[in-house]
Amino acid sequence: MDNAKIDTKSNLSRLLNQLSLGDNISECLTCGACNSRCTWFDGEGGPIPRQMVRMAALGLDDKLVESGMLWDCLICNRCTQGCPMGITMDIIVRRGRSLGIAAGQIPTDIEKGIKSRLETGDVNGLTKEEFVETVEWVSEEFVDEVNDPKAAIPHDKKGSKFLYLPNPRELGINLLHLTAMGKLFYAMEETWTMSSFHTDVTNWGYFVGRDEIARKIASMVVEPAENLGIQTLVLSECGHGYHVLKFLLPELIGRKPKFDVKSIPELTLEYAKKGVLKFDPSIHPYKIAYHDPCNIARKSGCYDAPRQLLDLCCQETVELNPNREDGICCGGGGGILQDSTSTKKRKITGKPKADQMKACGLKHLATACLSCHRQLGELSNHFKLGMKVDTVASLASESLIL
Amino acid sequence: MKEKSPSILILGGGVAGMAAARSLKNQDLSVHLVEKDDHLGGKAALWACMATDTCKNCGACLSQEMARQMIDQNNLTTHLKTKIDTLKKTSKGIEALLTSGTTITADKVIMATGFDAFNPAQLTSLHWKDHKNIITTAQLNTLIREEGLNNLLENAQSPKIAFIQCVGSRNKKLKKDYCSQVCCKISMRQAQKLVHNIPDAQITLFYMDLQIIGKEIRQTLNLLSKQINLVQGIPAEILEDPDTHTLTLVTEDITTQSRSAGQFDLVVLSVGMESARDMNETTTLLEAVPNDWGFFNTKDAIVSKDLYIAGCAAGPKDILTSNQEGKIAGAKILEDLDLAEKPDINVAILGDGPQADIVTQAVAAKGYPVYIFSTTPAAKAFDMKPAQDNPPLSNIKLTRSKLTGSKLNRSKLPRSTLTGAKILAVDGTAGNFSIHYESRGKKENLTCGAVIAALEPCSTPNTGKGEFQTAMDLNTFSQISPGDLPEKSLILLDYFGPEFKSSARQALTVALAARKAKKEITILMNKMLVHGALGQRHYDQARTADILFLRFNTPEDIKIQPQARGFHITLKEATLPNFELALECDCLVLPQSINARGKFETIAKILRLPLDQEGFLQSANVRHRLIQSHRKGIFFTGTCHDEIDNHDLKTEIQEILSALATLDSPHQETKVTIDEKKCAKCLTCYRICPHSAIILNEKMRPQIMANACFSCQLCLSNCPAYAIESQGFTNDQIADQVTDQVVIFACERSCALAAENIVLPEKTQLITLPCACRISCDMILKSLINGASKIIISGCHEGNCRSMEGSTTARSTINAIAKMPGIKADIIRWEPVAANETHKFWRIISKA
Ligand code: SF4
Ligand code: SF4
Ligand code: SF4
Ligand code: SF4
Ligand code: SF4
């Protein structure tokens, strides 16, 4: 059997014991509560949260990296929710991933994505010119669709009230989603814009746990946004993007940004409450279940806004069980969805979610994250659940009364 | 004009409140007991009996008896279904307006408002509300009490049952970073009860750190570990199959390196204690400020003048300790009102270790002349050095030192040692003992009012042999000034068996001090005992101070290799099953093992009191615990009788002092007398009296000491000459009461209490006896002649009888009768029924 030496001065121990606020890993009671709550449940392989915490606490960096658990973990913090000491798994895992010795484990896709994001501003490597071209083309389509020459999907317009930060997929394979969002802004009757300087809501620096990268990417959002003088940064539906930009941003850049941050469902709901936006729920005459993206719900505390918005534009919102704080990760969290080699693995990590989807017995499911959206759709196909998966904002856009 | 007698208001009619009220009896006081429910006894009164074949010493049934006693207390007014409306401090005292409209102006208030069970609905992932087969320990209690468990399990074949510990305790996130003290014991007892009731049940108990503390719990663990699965690690989520209602718990599977799912038919949540919800208002009105937890068990809680706090209102604790706190609160009030008495008695203390020294000092400070019987020839007062393996107690040496006066200086405690003294016998009873001893070949005699046993148990060092040749004793380690300690030390706990609470406490304290001096400390343990108010906080502190805690499952997981300097240890850590850890330390520290190891046999024989199963003084019988024995006036304190830390020792001393103050007041009368004319001087009674209440007088005749007699009437039913009498209680008189076909002879402290509010079925009759041992062949046969066709004798569960062996005696009498020619097999039988087993009683009589 292998032998390991405790080293409380290991790199990881040092990184983790600097933390305040109950995240000091040495506080672990070894109570085992986390083990029972891992999204992998009784799936084979995968992370065993208490072992990760203990290896980190005892400075067994090598062992932790060797175990492979760091990149199996979905960073969903489901285990954390049950921890009596409030020990936060996503911090432990991300710090672990950031270790030099773990560098070889970073999925190639994520490494590439970070590189092109830092170089071009977009994970898929979309250049500024390509961005402008794409957005202007979508804008034309959009004018036709709403049949109003004044309508537009504007970019780089200074002094706009809102700045919309899209998901890279909205500029690639899911352009329709961008049009749908444009419709919502159009109906709000406010000034809005996109920016060719930063085309992306994602921040993969978060997945690799490298604060300096996450900070750089975040600044690529904050600086142009502040230069444009906008009031509110509006995030496309993206889980980790939301968590980083709404929840971690001040800590990351060391100050408060000069704008508010809201997700598109949050903003839409706000305008619906003001009476500006009106919806016709009969467009979606069915019951629909809602999946809580871990990063938005458990990790950032936003539970109600997406549900309320769904209530306005569908017949009825139904809960999956368990939900909210105890919601089950789609199985694509922690960067695994961004790794194209993980398709098979995602069927294992997503099994508990698929079971839950099946148990609700419905044909429709909504979520507020485009990554979850993709994973859930794939689960529905793979497990033959026959469920149609939509994002909350696109449903809202569909039932919008113009 | 006589001043109005002082008025005492007790809030809460649970165990602590009743104990407080009772300690104020026979005083010129007017005592008011206010209880919001319609019954006295609090939560304990709703608790099920945990007895299997024998009593499991939970103490719940005592609350029924206590409630019964309240009725007869003259100076007490009980206000049931009543709450406090308003409370205000006036010049005359604390004015309380009760919801009944009554106003009481109290001189003193005792808050004994108890606790509330943690509501597990707060932990959503446990789904306590959503799933029908998830219950709390409190609900399980009700099911056991009402005998409804089989309905819930739908008579499942070998049902799988899980217990989950620490639900709502030891949780920083919920701001409950304390151990609830009792839930481990409760679950262990319940598990044992389930094993007994459903022998094919498969039970798993998931725990964080099992709090194995106290004589009965160590015993329970020994049995339980063979009967159920004990698993470290508590699931925080319960999943349910909506169709079958089967519950799934996911835990780490160390064999396959993944998680595995266990299926259960029933999951029991071991819920913790929190401060009573309606206590808050009262505290505000009384200007008392509880701590962050809502309790009063830490120094930062403020207790205002004229307010006393007892029981679980002060902090989580068990039934017996609540009882103790109630008594102490009552005693304090008497003292503060200048009503406390100091009887003119000598007190003998057995033992001269550090604990006995503390006891001696406290008793002497109260002004009692103290005589110390020492076990070592030249005991130095308050020498804290580890106790040596002491000589056997037959050689008890006597240190005679009369201590009077109240200002005692530790170093000035006068002592002189008489060599060669040896206790021969302890005769008599409370207020009037005579200790016969031999000194320098001369027989001598000491008269005293009370005897306190405060001996040190055996502490066997684990160092100095085998691989531990160079290890250091924890006591030695504690005495080194932290700065001088080796750089890297490892304290190894639980290696030679579950550590005693005192050792675990000592290890934490020393480790914290060493850490302050920047020393590296590792504690290697099987479990951490976080008992005591601040137990969990200390443990939390230690972890944040970077004391390293490692866990092992069994001692085989540890390999220790001494090195030229220090130790090399390989460990299979319980939470890291994939690889071994290699540890180095300069110094390996081991606590001493505490045990009784035959040490107390002689003294127990001399005191004519039984030992417990491990050989410690005092039986586990709850009727006399925590500190008393069934010989009035003989007390136990310290580690010679139970697992006691310094805090507990202080409390025990307080209880002993309050018991001393009421030792001989008032004089108790027994109804039992020996008719000299009939007595054949066979001395059967002298031999068998369980309370040693019969002495031989000058004429060498047996004589009952009124004050020592518990009126069990064992002597009466066993006297071959029918010379012992009790008014209205001759065999004939009892048998003559028989009028019906089914007759239950019921012990007045158990079955009769359980039957109290029951309307008996037709042709069924209950005759109350002072103790089950009162039955005799003569009496039973006469009852049969008088028309009884079925006789049930019902008393305490074995191990719960106040007179110790009453139930056992009754059973052998029954066996003897059953063997008599002409007696049909099912005509007479024995049924143990505790005072809280009303449902069981009902089942028995309805089937009779
Ligand atoms: S964060 Fe999620 S995937 Fe990772 S260990 Fe915790 S529960 Fe499991
Ligand atoms: S739940 Fe928290 S305290 Fe318990 S073992 Fe896991 S990390 Fe440690
Ligand atoms: S007889 Fe009394 S003390 Fe014994 S287990 Fe039953 S209730 Fe508890
Ligand atoms: S460790 Fe303490 S809080 Fe947890 S179950 Fe045991 S007694 Fe209760
Ligand atoms: S009645 Fe019981 S306690 Fe009293 S003298 Fe007889 S045997 Fe002893």
Side-chain angles (χ1 to χ4, degrees):
Chain A
M1 195 177 261
D2 262 2
N3 233 313
K5 267 212 155 83
I6 294 177
D7 176 11
T8 45
K9 291 182 186 69
S10 81
N11 289 334
L12 186 55
S13 280
R14 268 210 304 272
L15 282 171
L16 287 164
N17 281 318
Q18 284 163 3
L19 299 168
S20 50
L21 296 173
D23 285 329
N24 187 336
I25 40 166
S26 60
E27 279 191 88
C28 169
L29 278 163
T30 60
C31 72
C34 47
N35 282 343
S36 68
R37 289 189 46 98
C38 181
T39 291
W40 285 64
F41 287 117
D42 54 339
E44 252 177 51
I48 296 172
R50 182 170 73 178
Q51 289 188 16
M52 289 202 280
V53 176
R54 289 292 282 167
M55 287 189 271
L58 300 178
L60 307 170
D61 300 13
D62 293 338
K63 289 284 168 195
L64 179 56
V65 172
E66 253 171 56
S67 75
M69 292 184 194
L70 289 172
W71 281 96
D72 277 346
C73 174
L74 306 167
I75 323 192
C76 66
N77 274 5
R78 204 168 185 282
C79 51
T80 298
Q81 187 69 30
C83 173
M85 302 306 285
I87 289 170
T88 312
M89 187 58 80
D90 99 61
I91 297 180
I92 295 172
V93 171
R94 288 189 299 109
R95 291 284 186 274
R97 289 178 179 185
S98 78
L99 291 173
I101 49 168
Q105 294 185 343
I106 300 176
T108 324
D109 290 341
I110 292 193
E111 218 161 22
K112 266 204 224 142
I114 291 178
K115 197 161 167 261
S116 49
R117 176 70 198 259
L118 289 176
E119 281 165 8
T120 62
D122 182 283
V123 279
N124 295 328
L126 202 71
T127 61
K128 192 171 167 180
E129 292 70 38
E130 286 165 334
F131 170 85
V132 171
E133 202 181 306
T134 312
V135 169
E136 286 179 353
W137 182 76
V138 177
S139 184
E140 280 165 30
E141 297 282 302
F142 179 59
V143 173
D144 289 348
E145 193 191 326
V146 291
N147 208 0
D148 180 351
K150 284 198 289 317
I153 299 202
H155 64 87
D156 302 308
K157 261 174 68 185
K158 275 206 165 193
S160 300
K161 187 162 183 184
F162 302 136
L163 169 66
Y164 180 60
L165 202 57
N167 185 288
R169 304 177 74 206
E170 284 174 281
L171 301 166
I173 56 168
N174 205 348
L175 291 171
L176 281 180
H177 201 268
L178 184 57
T179 327
M181 298 307 105
K183 213 165 121 191
L184 288 172
F185 283 113
Y186 169 76
M188 285 175 205
E189 297 179 339
E190 300 280 10
T191 52
W192 73 290
T193 185
M194 290 174 68
S195 162
S196 59
F197 281 96
H198 46 81
T199 49
D200 200 335
V201 68
T202 61
N203 191 329
W204 294 2
Y206 175 77
F207 292 138
V208 294
R210 302 272 293 274
D211 279 356
E212 71 285 3
I213 298 176
R215 188 172 305 121
K216 219 179 262 168
I217 297 176
S219 316
M220 289 169 69
V221 173
V222 175
E223 278 162 29
E226 287 178 346
N227 287 342
L228 285 171
I230 53 134
Q231 284 178 23
T232 305
L233 181 69
V234 184
L235 310 179
S236 166
E237 293 174 289
C238 173
H240 84 277
Y242 183 92
H243 185 61
V244 173
L245 290 168
K246 180 144 184 181
F247 204 74
L248 301 177
L249 191 58
E251 200 189 316
L252 205 54
I253 60 170
R255 65 175 173 90
K256 270 187 148 171
K258 295 185 189 128
F259 48 77
D260 280 350
V261 182
K262 281 178 191 143
S263 70
I264 182 77
E266 283 170 340
L267 186 73
T268 308
L269 181 70
E270 190 183 309
Y271 276 78
K273 282 186 175 164
K274 277 189 199 162
V276 179
L277 299 184
K278 297 223 160 40
F279 300 98
D280 176 8
S282 69
I283 303 282
H284 306 119
Y286 46 73
K287 288 184 181 172
I288 189 160
Y290 176 68
H291 161 79
D292 280 299
C294 305
N295 272 306
I296 294 176
R298 186 163 42 239
K299 286 164 73 176
S300 308
C302 168
Y303 299 103
D304 294 326
R307 286 176 167 79
Q308 288 173 9
L309 187 54
L310 268 187
D311 275 340
L312 296 176
C313 53
C314 296
Q315 188 193 63
E316 190 189 335
T317 318
V318 173
E319 291 295 351
L320 293 169
N321 197 358
N323 51 57
R324 298 175 78 96
E325 291 89 343
D326 299 321
I328 297 174
C329 174
C330 66
I336 172 171
L337 189 97
Q338 284 72 13
D339 171 10
S340 60
T341 64
S342 73
T343 325
K344 224 170 119 193
K345 185 158 144 192
R346 279 194 283 117
K347 303 298 171 305
I348 303 172
T349 55
K351 176 73 171 41
K353 188 83 226 176
D355 288 345
Q356 190 189 28
M357 285 157 70
K358 192 172 174 193
C360 82
L362 297 182
K363 291 284 154 228
H364 296 272
L365 177 65
T367 187
C369 161
L370 278 162
S371 298
C372 295
H373 173 251
R374 189 176 130 207
Q375 162 78 354
L376 296 170
E378 289 181 19
L379 288 178
S380 172
N381 281 339
H382 180 81
F383 292 100
K384 305 203 169 42
L385 305 174
M387 256 184 145
K388 187 172 177 306
V389 186
D390 287 294
T391 69
V392 175
S394 65
L395 288 169
S397 177
E398 276 170 24
S399 50
L400 188 67
I401 304 171
L402 277 179
Chain B
M1 200 181 87
K2 186 178 171 298
E3 261 189 59
K4 194 176 132 296
S5 52
S7 200
I8 315 294
L9 175 62
I10 303 174
L11 307 176
V15 169
M18 294 192 297
R22 194 152 167 75
S23 66
L24 299 172
K25 71 175 182 198
N26 303 318
Q27 299 285 348
D28 184 18
L29 294 171
S30 74
V31 184
H32 294 270
L33 187 57
V34 179
E35 167 57 48
K36 64 179 189 314
D37 274 337
D38 61 356
H39 63 92
L40 287 178
K43 296 220 175 34
L46 303 173
W47 216 239
C49 170
M50 287 297 135
T52 54
D53 293 331
T54 57
C55 163
K56 289 291 170 264
N57 316 111
C58 74
C61 57
L62 300 185
S63 69
Q64 310 283 348
E65 193 190 355
M66 289 172 92
R68 184 72 193 65
Q69 288 165 341
M70 294 294 105
I71 298 174
D72 305 328
Q73 187 169 327
N74 291 330
N75 63 359
L76 177 74
T77 319
T78 303
H79 307 262
L80 289 178
K81 286 201 253 177
T82 308
K83 285 192 189 183
I84 300 292
D85 207 347
T86 57
L87 264 177
K88 62 171 184 272
K89 290 199 169 182
T90 68
S91 55
K92 281 188 238 125
I94 300 163
E95 200 179 281
L97 175 62
L98 307 185
T99 46
S100 55
T102 315
T103 306
I104 295 162
T105 309
D107 297 88
K108 307 277 179 194
V109 176
I110 298 178
M111 193 157 71
T113 38
F115 69 98
D116 276 327
F118 174 77
N119 179 352
Q122 293 168 56
L123 297 170
T124 50
S125 62
L126 294 174
H127 299 284
W128 171 65
K129 274 242 170 89
D130 316 330
H131 304 333
K132 75 174 186 113
N133 291 343
I134 304 174
I135 59 174
T136 63
T137 36
Q139 287 171 301
L140 177 57
N141 240 301
T142 312
L143 284 170
I144 295 176
R145 189 166 47 97
E146 296 178 355
E147 307 201 310
L149 195 61
N150 281 338
N151 290 344
L152 181 79
L153 292 168
E154 283 156 351
N155 299 312
Q157 287 297 307
S158 46
K160 296 197 181 61
I161 304 171
F163 284 84
I164 299 179
Q165 294 309 111
C166 303
V167 175
S169 309
R170 304 188 64 184
N171 190 318
K172 221 178 204 173
K173 229 196 247 163
L174 294 171
K175 298 205 168 62
K176 293 186 190 302
D177 51 334
Y178 56 83
C179 163
S180 289
Q181 323 275 319
V182 295
C183 12
C184 278
K185 296 197 231 185
I186 289 174
S187 297
M188 286 168 77
R189 286 194 183 106
Q190 287 184 338
Q192 215 167 32
K193 182 96 178 172
L194 293 182
V195 170
H196 183 257
N197 287 6
I198 316 168
D200 64 346
Q202 298 177 37
I203 301 178
T204 309
L205 192 148
F206 296 98
Y207 61 89
M208 196 185 313
D209 295 280
L210 259 197
Q211 302 298 303
I212 305 153
I213 294 167
K215 53 175 76 195
E216 74 275 23
I217 294 304
R218 285 195 302 272
Q219 285 306 315
T220 305
L221 178 78
N222 283 345
L223 284 173
L224 211 54
S225 53
K226 292 173 202 111
Q227 297 169 320
I228 71 168
N229 293 322
L230 292 162
V231 180
Q232 199 278 330
I234 44 171
E237 175 149 35
I238 307 173
L239 308 163
E240 190 206 37
D241 180 324
D243 303 323
T244 61
H245 298 298
T246 306
L247 303 166
T248 299
L249 297 177
V250 176
T251 48
E252 175 182 7
D253 183 343
I254 49 174
T255 50
T256 66
Q257 252 315 288
S258 57
R259 296 142 309 271
S260 68
Q263 314 289 325
F264 294 93
D265 299 300
L266 179 71
V267 174
V268 185
L269 307 176
S270 197
V271 287
M273 288 187 181
E274 55 188 27
S275 71
R277 271 152 235 146
D278 38 61
M279 185 179 90
N280 299 346
E281 272 169 56
T282 322
T283 46
T284 320
L285 294 169
L286 288 168
E287 294 157 17
V289 188
N291 57 25
D292 297 346
W293 301 324
F295 293 125
F296 289 86
N297 51 358
T298 55
K299 290 212 178 86
D300 53 334
I302 301 167
V303 181
S304 48
K305 193 174 161 283
D306 297 327
L307 176 67
Y308 302 75
I309 296 169
C312 292
K317 57 182 60 71
D318 62 15
I319 293 173
L320 297 185
T321 317
S322 293
N323 182 21
Q324 180 179 51
E325 270 192 10
K327 287 187 201 169
I328 293 173
K332 267 197 200 136
I333 286 187
L334 291 182
E335 207 162 283
D336 294 350
L337 289 173
D338 262 336
L339 293 170
E341 285 175 45
K342 204 225 93 203
D344 190 11
I345 51 166
N346 296 329
V347 176
I349 292 175
L350 312 185
D352 63 356
Q355 293 177 348
D357 285 340
I358 299 171
V359 180
T360 305
Q361 194 187 17
V363 175
K366 281 276 168 205
Y368 295 103
V370 179
Y371 294 81
I372 306 158
F373 285 82
S374 107
T375 49
T376 46
K380 281 193 221 113
F382 307 115
D383 186 347
M384 299 298 277
K385 80 170 163 20
Q388 300 299 314
D389 231 353
N390 292 318
L393 267 139
S394 53
N395 292 331
I396 280 185
K397 308 290 191 307
L398 175 74
T399 310
R400 272 189 96 170
S401 51
K402 200 162 176 178
L403 301 174
T404 45
S406 52
K407 266 188 231 118
L408 266 171
N409 185 324
R410 283 188 150 215
S411 56
K412 280 192 195 148
L413 258 177
R415 283 178 172 220
S416 55
T417 312
L418 282 183
T419 43
K422 179 171 151 188
I423 299 185
L424 301 169
V426 177
D427 281 341
T429 185
N432 187 22
F433 283 107
S434 108
I435 302 184
H436 307 285
Y437 65 94
E438 206 181 276
S439 173
R440 295 210 173 110
K442 253 176 54 200
K443 293 220 161 108
E444 301 211 41
N445 192 28
L446 171 76
T447 308
C448 61
V451 179
I452 304 172
L455 299 136
E456 298 290 325
C458 292
S459 302
T460 333
N462 289 307
T463 49
K465 44 197 169 200
E467 66 260 53
F468 301 113
Q469 194 64 45
T470 51
M472 194 189 277
D473 194 274
L474 180 60
N475 285 331
T476 319
F477 190 78
S478 325
Q479 279 160 3
I480 302 175
S481 112
D484 298 337
L485 287 170
E487 287 313 309
K488 268 179 123 175
S489 305
L490 184 141
I491 306 178
L492 177 57
L493 300 178
D494 304 315
Y495 190 77
F496 302 97
E499 218 55 74
F500 270 54
K501 177 162 126 180
S502 46
S503 306
R505 194 68 16 103
Q506 191 185 11
L508 264 194
T509 315
V510 180
L512 275 165
R515 196 65 208 124
K516 253 201 186 139
K518 300 256 179 329
K519 305 292 175 185
E520 274 183 45
I521 300 279
T522 303
I523 295 184
L524 177 51
M525 64 190 189
N526 175 255
K527 55 161 197 321
M528 180 44 67
L529 294 181
V530 288
H531 214 255
L534 287 167
Q536 178 67 31
R537 285 231 169 128
H538 283 152
Y539 181 38
D540 287 350
Q541 245 175 42
R543 294 195 318 287
T544 29
D546 285 331
I547 293 169
L548 219 55
F549 288 86
L550 301 172
R551 216 186 257 279
F552 63 89
N553 283 322
T554 67
E556 286 85 71
D557 297 342
I558 309 172
K559 282 186 206 72
I560 298 164
Q561 292 160 290
Q563 306 286 300
R565 216 181 134 253
F567 289 83
H568 180 83
I569 297 169
T570 358
L571 165 73
K572 220 174 140 205
E573 217 268 351
T575 60
L576 295 170
N578 291 350
F579 46 82
E580 279 181 345
L581 285 178
L583 313 168
E584 308 282 346
C585 60
D586 306 326
C587 174
L588 176 65
V589 187
L590 290 164
Q592 303 198 349
S593 292
I594 299 172
N595 57 61
R597 214 167 273 164
K599 186 168 177 181
F600 301 124
E601 270 163 20
T602 320
I603 191 73
K605 225 173 264 163
I606 290 169
L607 295 174
R608 275 182 269 151
L609 290 172
L611 295 170
D612 70 11
Q613 294 190 21
E614 292 171 304
F616 286 94
L617 286 171
Q618 195 186 35
S619 97
N621 190 325
V622 290
R623 300 268 175 194
H624 307 287
R625 275 165 74 204
L626 294 167
I627 51 144
Q628 280 168 306
S629 69
H630 57 278
R631 274 187 81 182
K632 285 181 193 163
I634 297 183
F635 302 97
F636 302 103
T637 183
T639 26
C640 66
H641 82 117
D642 215 341
E643 221 167 307
I644 299 293
D645 65 10
N646 287 342
H647 175 266
D648 306 327
L649 182 69
K650 256 189 234 155
T651 320
E652 286 192 340
I653 294 173
Q654 281 179 317
E655 190 189 353
I656 292 178
L657 291 176
S658 64
L660 289 181
T662 49
L663 208 52
D664 60 357
S665 63
H667 213 73
Q668 250 168 346
E669 284 306 327
T670 174
K671 293 189 201 88
V672 185
T673 50
I674 303 178
D675 183 343
E676 282 202 13
K677 282 183 223 111
K678 289 191 196 158
C679 173
K681 290 209 269 185
C682 67
L683 301 192
T684 306
C685 56
Y686 172 77
R687 266 189 300 106
I688 61 170
C689 172
H691 303 284
S692 299
I694 301 185
I695 52 162
L696 294 183
N697 64 17
E698 319 79 59
K699 290 181 262 166
M700 289 312 274
R701 282 182 168 284
Q703 185 187 324
I704 298 175
M705 286 181 295
N707 193 26
C709 172
F710 279 73
S711 300
C712 67
Q713 307 199 3
L714 181 67
C715 53
L716 203 151
S717 49
N718 279 276
C719 175
Y722 299 106
I724 308 182
E725 288 162 4
S726 169
Q727 268 175 328
F729 264 109
T730 64
N731 287 348
D732 290 346
Q733 278 168 318
I734 295 172
D736 282 350
Q737 290 178 41
V738 172
T739 52
D740 286 296
Q741 287 166 1
V742 178
V743 181
I744 302 126
F745 287 109
C747 155
E748 67 179 7
R749 257 174 311 285
S750 49
C751 180
L753 290 172
E756 209 152 54
N757 295 316
I758 277 189
V759 183
L760 296 175
E762 256 179 56
K763 303 205 171 127
T764 305
Q765 176 186 17
L766 186 125
I767 298 174
T768 305
L769 299 178
C771 172
C773 68
R774 174 64 188 88
I775 61 155
S776 63
C777 295
D778 180 49
M779 185 180 112
I780 300 295
L781 295 178
K782 281 182 177 147
S783 304
L784 290 171
I785 293 167
N786 288 351
S789 56
K790 191 161 248 175
I791 295 180
I792 297 169
I793 290 111
S794 178
C796 298
H797 288 273
E798 252 165 85
N800 185 248
C801 170
R802 189 177 67 167
S803 300
M804 308 307 281
E805 300 294 321
S807 307
T808 329
T809 314
R811 273 175 72 174
S812 43
T813 310
I814 294 166
N815 288 342
I817 299 170
K819 284 198 197 101
M820 288 179 178
I823 302 284
K824 271 197 247 118
D826 61 340
I827 241 178
I828 167 164
R829 67 174 207 266
W830 163 252
E831 292 282 1
V833 174
N836 49 356
E837 289 186 302
T838 301
H839 287 80
K840 178 177 177 185
F841 177 74
W842 181 248
R843 171 168 51 83
I844 290 168
I845 55 165
S846 42
K847 280 193 194 147

